Amino acid sequence: MTTVSFDASKLDKFVHDNELDEMQALVNAADTELRQGTGAGSAFRDWLTLPDDYDQAEFTRIKAAAAKIRSDSKVLVTIGIGGSYLGAKMAVDFLHDTFFNYLPDEQRQDPQVLFAGNSLSPSYVYDLIHLIGDRDFSINVISKSGTTTEPSIAFRIFKAKLIEKYGKTTANQRIYVTTDKQRGALKQEAASEGYETFIIPDGIGGRYSVLSAVGLLPIAVSGADIDQLMAGARDAMNDYTNPDLTKNEAYQYAAYRNILYRKGFTTELLENYEPNLQYFAEWWKQLMGESEGKDQKGIYPSSANFSTDLHSLGQYIQEGLRNLMETVIFIDKPNHEVAIPKTDGNLDGLQYLEDRTMHFANTKAFQGVTLAHTDGNVPNMSVHIPDQTPHTLGYLIYFFEVAVGISGYLNGINPFNQPGVEAYKTNMFALLGKPGFETLGTELNKRL
């Protein structure tokens, strides 16, 4: 059952008929590197088969822990940064109504799933503590090492709040840890304190980890069906095994974006027409940016939320520097529909839309924008999904994961490492005065 449809029909003026065929040999080679593990970073490909060979016993424990949190907490504070939070955040937003986390407790069936440890903002943490107030809450802290600065600070703060509210013994029963199987500071503390622990798989990098315990626990706490999420990913895994570009739309997407990149379209905008897809784009930006942005090359991933951003970025996209390509995720059937009502008179000029729906207007906006931007020499691709169900999301996640794996190898880079991420951390540690970084700290302070 295919739940994602890729449309490259608007690329006719940018890509010649023979160009996709010419990519087939390169795609075959990239597929071999990915599937047989002959490419760089092969130790981090376990996400490829994760939808079919995940730990069933741990999966059952995740659902049991989620049920407990749902029964005893009004809030789950999910602590992590990068891939340790973006996947869960985008999934919670994608799978629920726009204002899911804004509803008061008396209108909720499931806890609020809120996030911390993804910045160093004191105001954010203070405001989150104020929002929780005296309500019951639990923590899910997600970190491979347990020493990453942002989540480690947040964990200290919210752990202290738990102990203050419940006492140490009960607080420990409200702390859920997702970390390395064998090593690291967080693993050591979890073993010492008796926290319930879930595993970050060794062979899966953070940006590919949403379908592991990293994402599944907070997603399940929100009330979403993680069985269907995994089923959707499994269907995509089975659908995207054939490297034939006439049969594999995820590979098509990878090939087309690389054809365009070689023609100078170096920035890709991922766009949507539903506000609760905003964080899907944030997840996608990490997936694409960390996978491809290295060795002084790679497509720069950016995003826009339409039709909102058409009133701010629309001018630049239409007539600015011609280095942009666009990929739109469009939902064919939104969660809800609203009719445009009739009124007396026609002062607002909308009489011609009476008895139409907002989705009709949204669809025509998407179609009109696509034609305008194509006319303005911006290549446009689209990914159509039927709905916002867990099955569809699992399928969509896998679509982009396998596409970027192929895309990275097409561009001759390792799509599974992120060496540049460490540069800022070294400077930050030195400026914070971390032991062992004193000499560098002195040098950096002279430059400030």
Side-chain angles (χ1 to χ4, degrees), residues 161-199:
K161 290 295 179 183
L162 274 181
I163 293 171
E164 178 185 343
K165 182 175 178 63
Y166 299 106
K168 196 171 191 302
T169 299
T170 302
N172 286 0
Q173 297 169 2
R174 290 176 170 270
I175 295 173
Y176 302 83
V177 167
T178 308
T179 191
D180 189 85
K181 183 177 182 179
Q182 295 180 326
R183 64 184 68 86
L186 190 54
K187 173 62 177 177
Q188 183 178 344
E189 180 177 343
S192 173
E193 299 294 340
Y195 306 148
E196 182 159 9
T197 306
F198 302 97
I199 303 304

Short mmCIF file of all heavy atoms in Angstrom, two decimals, residues 161-199:
data_model
loop_
_atom_site.label_atom_id
_atom_site.label_comp_id
_atom_site.label_asym_id
_atom_site.label_seq_id
_atom_site.Cartn_x
_atom_site.Cartn_y
_atom_site.Cartn_z
N LYS A 161 13.32 19.43 40.48
CA LYS A 161 11.91 19.76 40.68
C LYS A 161 11.10 18.50 41.03
O LYS A 161 10.19 18.55 41.87
CB LYS A 161 11.34 20.42 39.42
CG LYS A 161 11.87 21.82 39.16
CD LYS A 161 11.44 22.78 40.25
CE LYS A 161 11.97 24.18 40.03
NZ LYS A 161 11.59 25.10 41.14
N LEU A 162 11.42 17.40 40.37
CA LEU A 162 10.73 16.15 40.70
C LEU A 162 11.00 15.73 42.14
O LEU A 162 10.08 15.35 42.87
CB LEU A 162 11.20 15.03 39.76
CG LEU A 162 10.52 14.85 38.41
CD1 LEU A 162 11.14 13.67 37.69
CD2 LEU A 162 9.01 14.66 38.55
N ILE A 163 12.26 15.78 42.54
CA ILE A 163 12.62 15.38 43.90
C ILE A 163 11.97 16.31 44.93
O ILE A 163 11.47 15.86 45.97
CB ILE A 163 14.16 15.38 44.05
CG1 ILE A 163 14.76 14.27 43.18
CG2 ILE A 163 14.57 15.18 45.51
CD1 ILE A 163 16.27 14.31 43.08
N GLU A 164 11.95 17.59 44.62
CA GLU A 164 11.30 18.56 45.52
C GLU A 164 9.82 18.25 45.68
O GLU A 164 9.26 18.38 46.78
CB GLU A 164 11.50 19.96 44.96
CG GLU A 164 10.83 21.07 45.76
CD GLU A 164 10.95 22.42 45.07
OE1 GLU A 164 11.79 22.58 44.18
OE2 GLU A 164 10.18 23.33 45.44
N LYS A 165 9.17 17.81 44.60
CA LYS A 165 7.72 17.58 44.62
C LYS A 165 7.36 16.23 45.22
O LYS A 165 6.40 16.11 45.99
CB LYS A 165 7.16 17.69 43.20
CG LYS A 165 5.65 17.52 43.10
CD LYS A 165 5.17 17.77 41.67
CE LYS A 165 3.66 17.56 41.53
NZ LYS A 165 2.87 18.52 42.33
N TYR A 166 8.13 15.18 44.89
CA TYR A 166 7.73 13.82 45.23
C TYR A 166 8.64 13.12 46.23
O TYR A 166 8.27 12.06 46.75
CB TYR A 166 7.67 12.96 43.96
CG TYR A 166 6.69 13.44 42.93
CD1 TYR A 166 7.14 14.07 41.77
CD2 TYR A 166 5.32 13.25 43.08
CE1 TYR A 166 6.25 14.49 40.79
CE2 TYR A 166 4.42 13.66 42.12
CZ TYR A 166 4.89 14.30 40.97
OH TYR A 166 4.00 14.71 40.02
N GLY A 167 9.84 13.67 46.47
CA GLY A 167 10.84 12.92 47.21
C GLY A 167 11.63 12.03 46.25
O GLY A 167 11.15 11.68 45.17
N LYS A 168 12.82 11.64 46.66
CA LYS A 168 13.74 10.98 45.74
C LYS A 168 13.21 9.63 45.23
O LYS A 168 13.30 9.33 44.03
CB LYS A 168 15.10 10.77 46.41
CG LYS A 168 16.23 10.45 45.44
CD LYS A 168 17.57 10.49 46.16
CE LYS A 168 18.72 10.43 45.16
NZ LYS A 168 18.69 9.25 44.31
N THR A 169 12.65 8.82 46.11
CA THR A 169 12.21 7.49 45.69
C THR A 169 11.13 7.56 44.63
O THR A 169 11.22 6.90 43.57
CB THR A 169 11.71 6.69 46.90
OG1 THR A 169 12.77 6.56 47.85
CG2 THR A 169 11.24 5.31 46.47
N THR A 170 10.11 8.36 44.86
CA THR A 170 9.02 8.48 43.89
C THR A 170 9.48 9.22 42.64
O THR A 170 9.07 8.88 41.52
CB THR A 170 7.81 9.19 44.52
OG1 THR A 170 7.39 8.45 45.67
CG2 THR A 170 6.67 9.30 43.54
N ALA A 171 10.33 10.22 42.82
CA ALA A 171 10.86 10.95 41.67
C ALA A 171 11.58 10.01 40.71
O ALA A 171 11.42 10.09 39.48
CB ALA A 171 11.80 12.06 42.13
N ASN A 172 12.36 9.09 41.27
CA ASN A 172 13.10 8.15 40.43
C ASN A 172 12.17 7.28 39.58
O ASN A 172 12.54 6.84 38.49
CB ASN A 172 13.98 7.25 41.29
CG ASN A 172 15.20 7.99 41.82
OD1 ASN A 172 15.40 9.18 41.55
ND2 ASN A 172 16.03 7.30 42.60
N GLN A 173 10.96 7.06 40.08
CA GLN A 173 9.99 6.26 39.33
C GLN A 173 9.31 7.06 38.22
O GLN A 173 8.59 6.49 37.40
CB GLN A 173 8.94 5.71 40.29
CG GLN A 173 9.51 4.75 41.32
CD GLN A 173 8.52 4.41 42.42
OE1 GLN A 173 7.37 4.86 42.40
NE2 GLN A 173 8.96 3.61 43.39
N ARG A 174 9.56 8.36 38.19
CA ARG A 174 8.99 9.23 37.16
C ARG A 174 10.05 9.69 36.16
O ARG A 174 9.78 10.56 35.34
CB ARG A 174 8.33 10.46 37.81
CG ARG A 174 7.04 10.13 38.57
CD ARG A 174 6.48 11.35 39.27
NE ARG A 174 5.14 11.08 39.78
CZ ARG A 174 4.01 11.27 39.11
NH1 ARG A 174 4.07 11.76 37.88
NH2 ARG A 174 2.84 10.98 39.65
N ILE A 175 11.22 9.13 36.24
CA ILE A 175 12.31 9.46 35.32
C ILE A 175 12.53 8.28 34.38
O ILE A 175 12.79 7.15 34.82
CB ILE A 175 13.60 9.80 36.08
CG1 ILE A 175 13.41 11.07 36.91
CG2 ILE A 175 14.77 9.99 35.09
CD1 ILE A 175 14.58 11.39 37.82
N TYR A 176 12.42 8.53 33.10
CA TYR A 176 12.62 7.52 32.06
C TYR A 176 13.81 7.95 31.21
O TYR A 176 13.84 9.08 30.70
CB TYR A 176 11.35 7.38 31.21
CG TYR A 176 10.14 7.00 32.04
CD1 TYR A 176 9.41 7.98 32.72
CD2 TYR A 176 9.75 5.67 32.16
CE1 TYR A 176 8.31 7.64 33.49
CE2 TYR A 176 8.65 5.32 32.93
CZ TYR A 176 7.93 6.31 33.60
OH TYR A 176 6.85 5.97 34.37
N VAL A 177 14.76 7.06 31.07
CA VAL A 177 16.03 7.39 30.42
C VAL A 177 16.15 6.63 29.11
O VAL A 177 15.91 5.42 29.05
CB VAL A 177 17.21 7.04 31.35
CG1 VAL A 177 18.53 7.08 30.59
CG2 VAL A 177 17.25 8.00 32.53
N THR A 178 16.51 7.35 28.05
CA THR A 178 16.83 6.73 26.77
C THR A 178 18.28 7.05 26.47
O THR A 178 18.63 8.22 26.26
CB THR A 178 15.90 7.26 25.66
OG1 THR A 178 14.53 7.13 26.07
CG2 THR A 178 16.11 6.48 24.37
N THR A 179 19.13 6.03 26.46
CA THR A 179 20.57 6.28 26.39
C THR A 179 21.30 5.07 25.81
O THR A 179 20.67 4.12 25.30
CB THR A 179 21.12 6.63 27.79
OG1 THR A 179 22.46 7.12 27.67
CG2 THR A 179 21.08 5.44 28.73
N ASP A 180 22.63 5.11 25.88
CA ASP A 180 23.45 4.03 25.35
C ASP A 180 23.19 2.72 26.11
O ASP A 180 22.87 2.73 27.31
CB ASP A 180 24.93 4.41 25.46
CG ASP A 180 25.84 3.42 24.74
OD1 ASP A 180 26.02 3.60 23.52
OD2 ASP A 180 26.34 2.50 25.39
N LYS A 181 23.36 1.62 25.44
CA LYS A 181 23.09 0.32 26.04
C LYS A 181 24.07 -0.03 27.16
O LYS A 181 23.68 -0.67 28.15
CB LYS A 181 23.14 -0.76 24.96
CG LYS A 181 22.80 -2.16 25.45
CD LYS A 181 22.81 -3.15 24.30
CE LYS A 181 22.41 -4.55 24.77
NZ LYS A 181 22.39 -5.52 23.63
N GLN A 182 25.33 0.42 27.03
CA GLN A 182 26.35 -0.08 27.94
C GLN A 182 27.16 1.00 28.66
O GLN A 182 27.69 0.74 29.73
CB GLN A 182 27.33 -0.98 27.18
CG GLN A 182 26.68 -2.24 26.64
CD GLN A 182 27.67 -3.12 25.89
OE1 GLN A 182 28.57 -2.61 25.23
NE2 GLN A 182 27.50 -4.43 26.00
N ARG A 183 27.28 2.19 28.09
CA ARG A 183 28.24 3.15 28.62
C ARG A 183 27.65 4.56 28.70
O ARG A 183 26.58 4.81 28.17
CB ARG A 183 29.51 3.16 27.76
CG ARG A 183 29.28 3.62 26.34
CD ARG A 183 30.52 3.53 25.49
NE ARG A 183 30.90 2.15 25.25
CZ ARG A 183 30.40 1.40 24.27
NH1 ARG A 183 29.50 1.92 23.44
NH2 ARG A 183 30.76 0.15 24.10
N GLY A 184 28.42 5.44 29.35
CA GLY A 184 28.04 6.84 29.41
C GLY A 184 27.55 7.24 30.79
O GLY A 184 27.10 6.41 31.60
N ALA A 185 27.61 8.54 31.06
CA ALA A 185 27.23 9.07 32.36
C ALA A 185 25.77 8.82 32.68
O ALA A 185 25.40 8.49 33.82
CB ALA A 185 27.55 10.57 32.42
N LEU A 186 24.90 8.97 31.68
CA LEU A 186 23.46 8.79 31.91
C LEU A 186 23.14 7.32 32.16
O LEU A 186 22.30 7.00 33.03
CB LEU A 186 22.67 9.33 30.72
CG LEU A 186 21.16 9.44 30.90
CD1 LEU A 186 20.79 10.25 32.14
CD2 LEU A 186 20.53 10.07 29.65
N LYS A 187 23.79 6.42 31.45
CA LYS A 187 23.60 5.00 31.68
C LYS A 187 24.03 4.63 33.10
O LYS A 187 23.35 3.88 33.81
CB LYS A 187 24.41 4.19 30.67
CG LYS A 187 24.43 2.69 30.91
CD LYS A 187 23.04 2.09 30.81
CE LYS A 187 23.08 0.58 30.97
NZ LYS A 187 21.72 -0.02 30.95
N GLN A 188 25.15 5.20 33.53
CA GLN A 188 25.65 4.92 34.88
C GLN A 188 24.68 5.43 35.94
O GLN A 188 24.39 4.72 36.93
CB GLN A 188 27.02 5.59 35.06
CG GLN A 188 27.69 5.33 36.39
CD GLN A 188 29.06 5.98 36.48
OE1 GLN A 188 29.64 6.38 35.48
NE2 GLN A 188 29.57 6.10 37.70
N GLU A 189 24.16 6.63 35.76
CA GLU A 189 23.22 7.17 36.74
C GLU A 189 21.92 6.37 36.75
O GLU A 189 21.36 6.10 37.82
CB GLU A 189 22.92 8.64 36.43
CG GLU A 189 21.94 9.26 37.41
CD GLU A 189 21.68 10.74 37.16
OE1 GLU A 189 22.48 11.38 36.45
OE2 GLU A 189 20.67 11.25 37.68
N ALA A 190 21.45 5.98 35.57
CA ALA A 190 20.20 5.21 35.50
C ALA A 190 20.33 3.89 36.24
O ALA A 190 19.41 3.46 36.96
CB ALA A 190 19.82 4.98 34.04
N ALA A 191 21.47 3.23 36.07
CA ALA A 191 21.69 1.96 36.76
C ALA A 191 21.77 2.16 38.27
O ALA A 191 21.23 1.36 39.05
CB ALA A 191 22.97 1.32 36.25
N SER A 192 22.40 3.26 38.68
CA SER A 192 22.56 3.53 40.11
C SER A 192 21.24 3.88 40.78
O SER A 192 20.97 3.47 41.91
CB SER A 192 23.57 4.66 40.30
OG SER A 192 23.64 5.08 41.64
N GLU A 193 20.39 4.65 40.06
CA GLU A 193 19.16 5.17 40.66
C GLU A 193 17.93 4.33 40.36
O GLU A 193 16.85 4.59 40.89
CB GLU A 193 18.93 6.61 40.18
CG GLU A 193 20.04 7.59 40.55
CD GLU A 193 20.13 7.81 42.05
OE1 GLU A 193 19.14 7.52 42.77
OE2 GLU A 193 21.19 8.28 42.53
N GLY A 194 18.06 3.37 39.46
CA GLY A 194 16.93 2.51 39.16
C GLY A 194 15.91 3.12 38.21
O GLY A 194 14.75 2.71 38.21
N TYR A 195 16.33 4.09 37.37
CA TYR A 195 15.42 4.64 36.37
C TYR A 195 15.07 3.58 35.34
O TYR A 195 15.92 2.75 34.97
CB TYR A 195 16.06 5.81 35.62
CG TYR A 195 16.63 6.93 36.46
CD1 TYR A 195 17.74 7.64 36.01
CD2 TYR A 195 16.06 7.32 37.67
CE1 TYR A 195 18.27 8.69 36.74
CE2 TYR A 195 16.58 8.36 38.41
CZ TYR A 195 17.70 9.05 37.95
OH TYR A 195 18.23 10.08 38.68
N GLU A 196 13.85 3.61 34.84
CA GLU A 196 13.53 2.73 33.71
C GLU A 196 14.29 3.24 32.49
O GLU A 196 14.29 4.43 32.19
CB GLU A 196 12.04 2.67 33.42
CG GLU A 196 11.74 1.70 32.29
CD GLU A 196 10.32 1.20 32.26
OE1 GLU A 196 9.48 1.71 33.02
OE2 GLU A 196 10.05 0.28 31.45
N THR A 197 14.92 2.31 31.77
CA THR A 197 15.85 2.68 30.72
C THR A 197 15.49 2.05 29.38
O THR A 197 15.11 0.88 29.33
CB THR A 197 17.28 2.25 31.11
OG1 THR A 197 17.60 2.78 32.39
CG2 THR A 197 18.31 2.75 30.10
N PHE A 198 15.63 2.86 28.34
CA PHE A 198 15.45 2.39 26.97
C PHE A 198 16.73 2.68 26.19
O PHE A 198 17.55 3.51 26.59
CB PHE A 198 14.24 3.06 26.33
CG PHE A 198 12.97 2.81 27.10
CD1 PHE A 198 12.50 3.76 28.01
CD2 PHE A 198 12.27 1.63 26.95
CE1 PHE A 198 11.35 3.54 28.74
CE2 PHE A 198 11.11 1.40 27.69
CZ PHE A 198 10.65 2.35 28.59
N ILE A 199 16.89 2.02 25.05
CA ILE A 199 18.17 2.00 24.38
C ILE A 199 18.17 2.86 23.11
O ILE A 199 17.25 2.79 22.29
CB ILE A 199 18.56 0.55 23.99
CG1 ILE A 199 18.57 -0.34 25.24
CG2 ILE A 199 19.90 0.50 23.28
CD1 ILE A 199 19.46 0.15 26.35
#
